[in-house]
Amino acid sequence: MQYKHQSVRDFVAAMERGDAAAAERIAHEISERHKRGAAAKGELSELSWANASTPLGRK
């Protein structure tokens, strides 16, 4: 799937390379931006889809 938001693409890349710490940090940053109302429209929803469809790879 092609994601619109760079932050979500970064999250997917971290997941695919097995970097759980980076993926968690990116997800936390998106979540915090959403709480402040600063996240791009649809960014949190896209993150949710990416999280559900991207397995954690192995380092």
Side-chain angles (χ1 to χ4, degrees):
M1 179 172 193
Q2 187 70 356
Y3 295 104
K4 175 181 173 185
H5 300 93
Q6 181 63 50
S7 58
V8 176
R9 293 192 300 268
D10 293 344
F11 171 83
V12 169
M15 289 288 285
E16 288 176 342
R17 71 176 178 265
D19 191 346
E24 184 175 336
R25 178 186 50 78
I26 293 165
H28 180 74
E29 290 170 359
I30 293 170
S31 177
E32 287 301 310
R33 281 200 305 274
H34 178 73
K35 287 179 187 175
R36 293 190 318 265
K41 184 174 180 169
E43 188 177 17
L44 189 63
S45 176
E46 217 176 62
L47 174 65
S48 179
W49 278 105
N51 188 44
S53 62
T54 309
L56 182 63
R58 295 183 182 204
K59 283 189 174 183

